Amino acid sequence: MGKAPVRVLITGAAGQIGYSLAIQVSRGTMLGPEQPIILHLLDIPPAAQSLDGVKMELIDAALPLVHGVLATTDVEEACKDVAIAVMVGGFPRKAGMERKDVMSKNVSIYKSQAAALEKHAAKGVKVLVVANPANTNALILRENAPSIPPENITALTRLDHNRALGQVAERLGVHVSGVRNVIIWGNHSSTQFPDVAHGTAGGRPIPDALRDEAWLRGDFVSTVQQRGAAIIKMRGMSSALSAASSACDHVRNWVLGTEPGTWVSMGVISDGSYGAPKDVIFSFPVKCEGGRWEIVQGLSIDEYAAGKIKVTGDELVEEKELALQCLAGE
Ligand code: NAD
Ligand code: LMR
């Protein structure tokens, strides 16, 4: 007998990431080629027609893994029995805006959707927040959904992780699959710290393979930190296919596990490891097994890295305070 379908919620499903994500999830990129799914697509009433169009296209694609598509503008209906919730809905950053500029618009959405998830989602629901400010939206969701275990609420920094892999591969002229174990520390923002000190390329430590510390501490870091803004400048819209692809990577590794000897970056609730502030959603190196993530421990952190971790941690604490102020002023 085949596997039972898993219900996957995509919020903001009529938007540009949603459009790319829906097809990637439907073709097994997120949960594997053997896992049937029922898609729950949520958007807001002004986008209802476009959302119905996405549903029509999914029917037209005759997708073997898809056992149903619910397209709705009712958040309670959308959250019913979902085992995976990918929270993309929100207001995207436009040219010239920092991610925290979209804060007040988005944190109130995450507060109200937390309540719907808590009430209606399947027990053990795994939540990935993509919408910016992703770490802080995830934190607000967590604070307003106390019955969902904190470890089940995560934020997307896998796109930054993949960007770091891509930059190293381009610089070395090697295939990206040979580059491993980079780390994104902290916030999905321009303060994030992309760190290659423990990474390898073709089995060699990246710093030895590159022998270019000036690049690694300079352009590499700023390119990854600013890549989202660079894509917005080029496309006039924020990244979508890479964001959707990385969201699939995040959930796939979380559910199906990471490869032995390899870690990935995920925004998870901080326990204070590596000097990060506690009780914010902080990106760490994690290994996953049996549907659970665990922060990789015991990595050496030099003074340079500790300084960078402090900067991004301070920003997350500041964002948390700002988000709570926004919600208090509602
Ligand atoms: P988009 O504007 O194309 O789509 C957003 C969709 O969300 C729209 O269809 C909108 O109607 C919908 N929406 C708004 N409020 C909603 C609500 N309350 N409930 C459900 N849906 C709602 O934007 P996009 O380009 O798809 O980006 C979506 C989000 O993802 C943005 O916040 C963007 O900044 C963020 N993003 C994050 C990453 C990351 O790596 N974490 C990468 C790229 C984009
Ligand atoms: C990205 O990193 O591409 C997104 O977070 C979009 C943005 O606002 O930068």
Side-chain angles (χ1 to χ4, degrees):
M1 214 176 74
K3 290 182 171 182
V6 166
R7 291 180 187 269
V8 179
L9 167 65
I10 301 175
T11 73
Q16 49 150 6
I17 295 177
Y19 191 68
S20 182
L21 188 57
I23 187 64
Q24 295 192 44
V25 174
S26 298
R27 298 198 72 89
T29 310
M30 180 176 274
L31 295 174
E34 309 291 330
Q35 179 58 63
I37 55 158
I38 296 174
L39 275 178
H40 287 212
L41 307 178
L42 175 72
D43 214 293
I44 50 176
Q49 183 178 318
S50 172
L51 189 67
D52 284 340
V54 175
K55 177 175 175 176
M56 285 161 67
E57 283 206 66
L58 288 165
I59 293 168
D60 294 349
L63 296 154
L65 289 176
V66 177
H67 285 235
V69 181
L70 169 73
T72 181
T73 58
D74 176 344
V75 65
E76 309 241 335
E77 188 187 17
C79 292
K80 188 103 185 69
D81 297 331
V82 297
I84 306 285
V86 190
M87 312 299 287
V88 186
F91 186 85
R93 181 161 70 126
K94 302 274 159 68
M97 291 168 83
E98 277 294 314
R99 291 186 183 94
K100 60 184 160 198
D101 297 335
V102 295
M103 169 91 68
S104 62
K105 292 187 193 305
N106 284 330
V107 285
S108 59
I109 297 176
Y110 282 81
K111 182 178 174 188
S112 65
Q113 295 189 347
L117 275 172
E118 176 162 74
K119 208 156 139 205
H120 298 290
K123 197 167 178 293
V125 62
K126 287 182 161 60
V127 182
L128 166 61
V129 177
V130 176
N132 283 314
N135 302 52
T136 300
N137 286 341
L139 186 74
I140 296 303
L141 198 157
R142 171 191 118 93
E143 299 210 336
N144 289 281
S147 72
I148 301 179
E151 62 273 19
N152 286 22
I153 298 171
T154 63
L156 187 70
T157 55
R158 183 60 174 273
L159 174 55
D160 311 289
H161 180 101
N162 288 344
R163 286 169 171 163
L165 296 176
Q167 288 301 310
V168 170
E170 290 285 305
R171 184 82 176 180
L172 282 170
V174 299
H175 191 265
V176 71
S177 58
V179 187
R180 282 159 188 249
N181 294 353
V182 299
I183 303 168
I184 303 298
W185 299 99
N187 200 1
H188 173 66
S189 79
S190 53
T191 66
Q192 66 178 261
F193 172 41
D195 179 9
V196 298
H198 306 278
T200 58
R204 291 178 68 198
I206 293 173
D208 293 353
L210 270 164
R211 299 167 68 87
D212 191 349
E213 193 174 296
W215 182 77
L216 277 177
R217 290 194 173 189
D219 282 356
F220 166 72
V221 171
S222 58
T223 299
V224 177
Q225 287 176 331
Q226 297 294 339
R227 191 68 161 183
I231 300 284
I232 293 173
K233 202 165 159 210
M234 299 300 275
R235 281 181 14 97
M237 290 180 286
S238 64
S239 57
L241 76 84
S242 55
S245 175
S246 301
C248 288
D249 289 342
H250 176 115
V251 176
R252 189 182 59 253
N253 284 138
W254 188 5
V255 173
L256 300 175
T258 41
E259 277 178 46
T262 302
W263 63 68
V264 294
S265 303
M266 276 170 74
V268 298
I269 188 70
S270 171
D271 61 354
S273 292
Y274 296 105
K278 280 190 182 172
D279 297 327
V280 293
I281 303 285
F282 195 94
S283 180
F284 286 104
V286 299
K287 290 185 173 178
C288 306
E289 201 183 335
R292 300 177 73 83
W293 55 262
E294 191 189 336
I295 297 171
V296 175
Q297 296 294 346
L299 300 173
S300 58
I301 299 292
D302 62 16
E303 213 176 303
Y304 164 75
K308 296 273 186 198
I309 288 172
K310 173 150 181 17
V311 169
T312 193
D314 286 351
E315 183 185 54
L316 279 167
V317 171
E318 189 195 302
E319 268 190 21
K320 176 178 177 175
E321 280 161 15
L322 193 62
L324 294 175
Q325 275 168 25
C326 291
L327 292 173
E330 274 183 346

